[in-house]
Amino acid sequence: MPHPIELLAPAKDVDVARDAILCGADAVYIGATSHGARAAAANSVSDIAGLCEWAHSYCARVYVTLNTIVYDRELKQVERLISDLYYAGVDALIVQDLGILRLDIPPIALHASTQCDIRDPRKARWLEQLGFSQLVLARELSLKEIEEIHQAVKVPLEVFVHGALCVSYSGDCQASQVLKGRSANRGECAQICRLPYRLLDGDGNIVSTRGAHLLSLRDLNRSQHLGEMLAAGVSSFKIEGRLKDAAYVRNVTAAYRGLLDYIIAANPESYCRSSLGVSDPGFAPDLTKSFNRSYTDYFLTDTREPGSLASMRSPKDIGQPVGKVKKVLPGRIVLDDSQIRLHNGDGLGYFDQSGEFKGFRVNTAAVGSISPARPQTIPSGTLLYRNYDKQWEDAVAHAQPQRLIPISLSLSALAWGLALDATINETGQTVTVSQPLELAPAKTPQEAQRRANLTKWGGTIFDCREVEDRVGDMFVPASVISSLRRAVAEALGHCIAATRKVDYRLKEDPSAEIPAKALTYHDNVANRLSRKLVTDHGASEVADAIEVKQPTGEKTVMTTRYCLRRELGRCLLTPEGRLLKGPLTLQGPGGITLHAHFDCPRCRMLLSTR
């Protein structure tokens, strides 16, 4: 049997979720009223219920994120919310707090969030034994590490393929809480990693770098490695971006849909779609057009080259180089050798002499020159970038994506009337409807007219690709054909609903032993039920999450696979490492100070505060 592959898209609201599904997502993940790790992306249960009903018509799934830690006083609230979401038709919950497994909740499927910090086979196997039916792996893992986890578990593996990257292992970043009082594990990340920093060496000297945003990573793009990821055991390909707008989600989803469909078509015996329908986004997707800080595949292919992971010059979307400024005239900027056609309304930017990226809008564009919406003072020779293509953005915004389920029809004459068979092309499922009718020979040919009527499926989710007419030259009123067509549409809907796969929570293995017996604040135990679960499974020491009780003294607030030394070409395992004397200190705005420590045997960087 072919293995079902899932393309999982983000949604800040139900409208974006619908766009994602129309553009090809097999599933979407969306926040509910609370505890969704994105405080600005909440949705009502009633809205989610409507989304589920619509999505299920395509066998697409809706996952709700409850992936924050939960305080004791909130347990009953979360318990009620989960029950409401189950009866609203939600397919699964993406959770972080293990206390949820001890709540009195319906048997809804549970997915272990990337906030659970799944880095190795032991942790993955334990979470599977707890009853999680899908595991969201850490973004930092290589293909080999993903394959090792795949061999250790039986449940599907979900891996990020596109979008913004956290510099710290997800779920193991306490910087925002310690430095700003805003917990990343509560959906309130202050984005400490996107701030500018000065780097000081062991003697207190300021180190000259290529930029000041030392912890700001590029955006993830694994579009060229999907086949390798499939071979490593990935089942669900996840796009990051629950705060992104509809245009971003449309474009990225459509791009990855096309790439996955190509792989599936080339390997039909190995892979299949996990939902129904063929998508037409109504525009040509282009991953270079949507917001990005330039791209990296991160550690998927075990990247180690200096300068390949971070976007140090700016945490913004710089965009595509379009040419240098030749001279600035009143109301017009003349360009030198621009190779890209600009449009009225484009967004351009440049780095000023201080290194800050500044942007402006184009009022009118002509060959070799532009008129800015506001006067600009830009030195000659400055390179301009386009980070907003107005013409392309308009095409995406005005597109009307469609997703239709291909079907084939067969109309037959019976002794007492007519029968219409309909087959879903993707699954082979067939329904039959019939209607009593006394047939009589027609005076004129009827087949072309019947075919035209049978292929009218506008306003439905079905697309008739083939019609077999076995009635011959018998007269059939158009109203009868229309009635049969409507009955078939209803029957197909019932067929899809009756056969749609529904997952439920897996049984917990009470004998499963927790991999680490002594838990620290990095393990995010925030309530009595999560404490009970880990002790039930063998934990002997359990510290409180840092949001509950902040420890004294120096605290490690970021654990990263990204290494600042390696990024700067000063890895301690190379001769160049001696050129940068440690220990290293990062100084940021508002008095932020981070101390860098390097675990070279495991190739990790730890950032701490005192």
Side-chain angles (χ1 to χ4, degrees):
M1 288 289 291
H3 186 68
I5 303 304
E6 175 180 270
L7 176 60
L8 178 56
K12 67 177 180 180
D13 55 41
V14 295
D15 291 333
V16 174
R18 288 173 181 263
D19 276 344
I21 292 172
L22 289 176
C23 286
D26 299 303
V28 293
Y29 61 106
I30 188 170
T33 52
S34 66
H35 297 85
R38 294 291 187 278
N43 295 274
S44 70
V45 173
S46 60
D47 283 346
I48 292 174
L51 171 64
C52 291
E53 181 179 7
W54 177 82
H56 290 165
S57 64
Y58 295 101
C59 288
R61 290 169 298 284
V62 177
Y63 304 149
V64 167
T65 55
L66 266 76
N67 56 338
T68 69
I69 58 173
V70 182
Y71 297 146
D72 274 314
R73 64 179 181 273
E74 300 168 331
L75 289 169
K76 281 297 180 182
Q77 172 196 349
V78 171
E79 187 175 83
R80 288 191 296 270
L81 177 59
I82 292 174
S83 181
D84 290 343
L85 291 170
Y86 174 78
Y87 291 108
V90 168
D91 295 275
L93 303 177
I94 303 175
V95 305
Q96 172 189 10
D97 197 307
L98 299 182
I100 288 175
L101 279 71
R102 289 290 181 266
L103 294 174
D104 182 12
I105 57 176
I108 190 167
L110 300 179
H111 294 182
S113 169
T114 189
Q115 296 294 118
C116 289
D117 191 14
I118 308 171
R119 307 184 203 180
D120 57 57
R122 290 184 65 201
K123 181 73 171 286
R125 191 182 303 113
W126 182 62
L127 291 170
E128 178 186 36
Q129 292 172 317
L130 291 185
F132 287 102
S133 54
Q134 189 152 302
L135 308 179
V136 190
L137 303 187
R139 294 169 171 88
E140 290 81 355
L141 300 185
S142 68
L143 287 166
K144 180 181 178 182
E145 290 167 323
I146 293 171
E147 185 175 9
E148 289 172 350
I149 292 176
H150 173 62
Q151 292 173 349
V153 300
K154 297 179 180 179
V155 295
L157 302 182
E158 181 180 316
V159 175
F160 283 91
V161 291
H162 201 92
L165 285 166
C166 299
V167 71
S168 180
Y169 281 95
S170 296
D172 194 10
C173 182
Q174 290 79 26
S176 183
Q177 172 67 31
V178 171
L179 297 171
K180 296 291 184 179
R182 295 169 52 181
S183 169
N185 284 309
R186 295 278 295 173
E188 300 170 341
C189 178
Q191 294 197 309
I192 301 298
C193 56
R194 301 298 181 189
L195 298 176
Y197 290 92
R198 292 195 309 172
L199 180 63
L200 306 183
D201 67 13
D203 293 327
N205 300 313
I206 298 176
V207 178
S208 176
T209 67
R210 292 173 289 108
H213 299 272
L214 302 176
L215 303 177
S216 180
L217 297 184
R218 299 185 185 190
D219 282 6
L220 188 65
N221 182 341
R222 291 171 168 171
S223 59
Q224 302 305 307
H225 300 285
L226 302 182
E228 297 165 271
M229 294 177 72
L230 281 168
V234 177
S235 295
S236 179
F237 295 83
K238 187 172 192 173
I239 299 166
E240 185 277 338
R242 273 200 301 124
L243 296 180
K244 297 294 189 182
D245 60 20
Y248 180 95
V249 174
R250 282 184 174 193
N251 181 41
V252 178
T253 302
Y256 278 89
R257 179 74 276 152
L259 293 168
L260 286 173
D261 282 349
Y262 180 82
I263 295 173
I264 291 171
N267 302 274
E269 295 181 356
S270 300
Y271 309 118
C272 65
R273 286 277 304 277
S274 61
S275 64
L276 298 175
V278 176
S279 294
D280 178 7
F283 63 93
D286 185 344
L287 293 176
T288 68
K289 298 291 188 180
S290 287
F291 181 99
N292 68 88
R293 302 172 179 91
S294 74
Y295 285 131
T296 175
D297 67 13
Y298 210 25
F299 289 96
L300 190 72
T301 53
D302 212 24
T303 302
R304 288 291 187 272
E305 294 81 6
S308 63
L309 298 181
S311 177
M312 292 189 180
R313 294 188 73 185
S314 174
K316 300 177 182 178
D317 177 12
I318 296 172
Q320 180 184 22
V322 298
K324 293 183 178 180
V325 174
K326 186 173 183 179
K327 56 183 174 179
V328 177
L329 302 174
R332 184 156 293 275
I333 299 174
V334 180
L335 302 179
D336 186 10
D337 296 328
S338 175
Q339 301 298 315
I340 295 177
R341 183 179 178 182
L342 300 176
H343 312 117
N344 299 348
D346 280 356
L348 301 184
Y350 63 96
F351 288 97
D352 66 12
Q353 293 178 336
S354 69
E356 182 181 356
F357 188 74
K358 294 184 176 180
F360 63 93
R361 290 286 182 186
V362 174
N363 189 20
T364 58
V367 177
S369 68
I370 55 173
S371 175
R374 293 182 179 179
Q376 301 292 320
T377 303
I378 307 175
S380 298
T382 300
L383 180 61
L384 297 183
Y385 300 82
R386 179 170 66 184
N387 57 11
Y388 184 85
D389 185 337
K390 179 66 162 56
Q391 189 175 81
W392 187 85
E393 292 283 349
D394 284 349
V396 176
H398 297 150
Q400 296 183 335
Q402 286 189 319
R403 179 169 177 165
L404 299 173
I405 300 173
I407 60 172
S408 299
L409 301 179
S410 178
L411 183 66
S412 305
L414 306 174
W416 47 269
L418 290 174
L420 183 60
D421 300 320
T423 301
I424 299 175
N425 294 357
E426 294 171 82
T427 63
Q429 295 168 301
T430 299
V431 300
T432 301
V433 299
S434 60
Q435 183 166 330
L437 182 68
E438 186 174 337
L439 295 172
K443 297 179 180 179
T444 59
Q446 298 290 303
E447 188 172 345
Q449 183 177 346
R450 284 198 298 267
R451 181 179 297 274
N453 201 342
L454 285 168
T455 55
K456 291 179 180 178
W457 290 81
T460 74
I461 64 172
F462 302 105
D463 176 24
C464 180
R465 297 287 182 88
E466 183 180 353
V467 174
E468 183 181 14
D469 190 336
R470 300 178 179 177
V471 176
D473 288 331
M474 305 299 289
F475 175 72
V476 180
S479 60
V480 173
I481 298 296
S482 298
S483 177
L484 286 170
R485 193 182 64 242
R486 288 191 295 269
V488 160
E490 184 177 359
L492 286 170
H494 290 315
C495 176
I496 292 170
T499 58
R500 184 178 67 85
K501 183 178 182 293
V502 178
D503 292 327
Y504 295 98
R505 178 177 170 183
L506 300 179
K507 185 178 180 181
E508 180 180 335
D509 180 359
S511 66
E513 289 194 15
I514 192 169
K517 304 299 183 183
L519 304 187
T520 70
Y521 63 81
H522 294 283
D523 295 290
N524 300 322
V525 177
N527 59 67
R528 65 181 185 278
L529 294 185
S530 56
R531 180 180 291 272
K532 175 171 174 50
L533 182 136
V534 296
T535 54
D536 285 347
H537 287 275
S540 55
E541 299 178 34
V542 184
D544 289 321
I546 210 164
E547 289 83 357
V548 176
K549 182 180 179 182
Q550 192 164 137
T552 58
E554 185 169 2
K555 296 170 281 292
T556 297
V557 294
M558 287 188 189
T559 305
T560 81
R561 195 165 194 171
Y562 164 78
C563 176
L564 183 56
R565 278 185 168 276
R566 186 176 60 240
E567 189 71 4
L568 297 175
R570 296 294 183 265
C571 172
L572 287 171
L573 300 181
T574 67
E576 291 79 11
R578 293 192 295 270
L579 302 177
L580 180 56
K581 182 181 178 181
L584 303 183
T585 303
L586 287 77
Q587 292 183 341
I592 292 176
T593 299
L594 296 169
H595 304 279
H597 310 275
F598 300 93
D599 181 356
C600 293
R602 296 196 304 159
C603 203
R604 301 290 186 269
M605 180 174 72
L606 309 175
L607 297 177
S608 66
T609 62
R610 293 169 184 165

